Amino acid sequence: MPENIVYYFGYGQYHSLEMMQAVTGNENLTGRETILEGYELCIQTIDDIPDIPKKILEKTWGDKLPSFRAYAIRPKEDSQVKGTLYPLTETETDLVLNYEMVELGWHHEQEVLVPSPSGLGKTNAITETLEEGQTISSVTDGFDYEDYLNDKEITLNGAEKERDKYL
């Protein structure tokens, strides 16, 4: 029996199809660019990240950890974030949320409304948002940003390794 499809709004590194394919292992995955209303794009440095996720990141980033940065979004009226809407299976969704350390308190799974894939009306999607009380280092342009804040190769390799551990 096929799995249900869940729409996922990917921003930052998840705006990149290559990153989503690395996390999910689905080389046939496709997405459609879209806009999330009512959120702003923030940047966290390693000092903003909770202790448990920070220790896990240290294993991947080693001596590059001090320069590590990550995108996060948080609600803010009159703001928008450009991203990609992906149709994911429940298993693929779990892989993304695992990689984002949702259960470890780094991010929070959030249901959001985005333009539907048909272009008519809105559809529910999930994404991850900043956990309440976490700090950020800066707010950045939600439209004109680089997908990867860190070394792309290390990021993609880390995603594949985490996926293999999870499955």
Side-chain angles (χ1 to χ4, degrees):
M1 182 169 175
E3 290 188 70
N4 292 332
I5 295 298
V6 176
Y7 284 108
Y8 174 80
F9 174 77
Y11 61 89
Q13 63 192 15
Y14 297 119
H15 182 242
S16 161
L17 179 59
E18 187 176 14
M19 180 61 179
M20 285 300 291
Q21 290 171 335
V23 172
T24 64
N26 181 351
E27 294 180 8
N28 298 314
L29 185 65
T30 61
R32 185 179 67 77
E33 196 163 279
T34 193
I35 303 297
L36 176 61
E37 303 273 347
Y39 285 82
E40 69 180 348
L41 186 62
C42 307
I43 296 176
Q44 290 185 299
T45 64
I46 197 62
D47 294 333
D48 299 311
I49 297 169
D51 288 340
I52 293 172
K54 191 183 303 186
K55 287 179 185 185
I56 293 169
L57 289 168
E58 189 173 8
K59 293 175 186 171
T60 299
W61 293 95
D63 62 353
K64 295 180 186 276
L65 190 65
S67 64
F68 181 86
R69 298 180 303 152
Y71 286 117
I73 58 172
R74 64 182 181 187
K76 178 153 193 246
E77 286 186 43
D78 302 323
S79 292
Q80 300 175 323
V81 177
K82 175 180 71 173
T84 305
L85 186 63
Y86 299 98
L88 301 181
T89 66
E90 291 175 14
T91 299
E92 290 167 343
T93 303
D94 289 346
L95 286 164
V96 173
L97 297 176
N98 175 66
Y99 189 72
E100 285 302 307
M101 300 185 225
V102 167
E103 289 186 12
L104 299 177
W106 186 5
H107 294 103
H108 173 75
E109 180 181 346
Q110 181 71 46
E111 190 170 301
V112 294
L113 279 175
V114 295
S116 72
S118 69
L120 302 171
K122 301 265 185 179
T123 192
N124 289 326
I126 63 160
T127 193
E128 63 281 334
T129 59
L130 200 58
E131 271 291 349
E132 196 170 315
Q134 281 190 37
T135 59
I136 62 163
S137 292
S138 61
V139 175
T140 192
D141 186 325
F143 278 89
D144 185 24
Y145 64 88
E146 297 289 325
D147 290 346
Y148 297 91
L149 287 172
N150 304 295
D151 182 280
K152 182 178 174 181
E153 186 177 330
I154 294 172
T155 301
L156 293 171
N157 287 338
E160 290 170 2
K161 286 178 184 173
E162 189 59 34
R163 179 189 74 228
D164 292 346
K165 284 193 306 189
Y166 186 81
L167 292 177

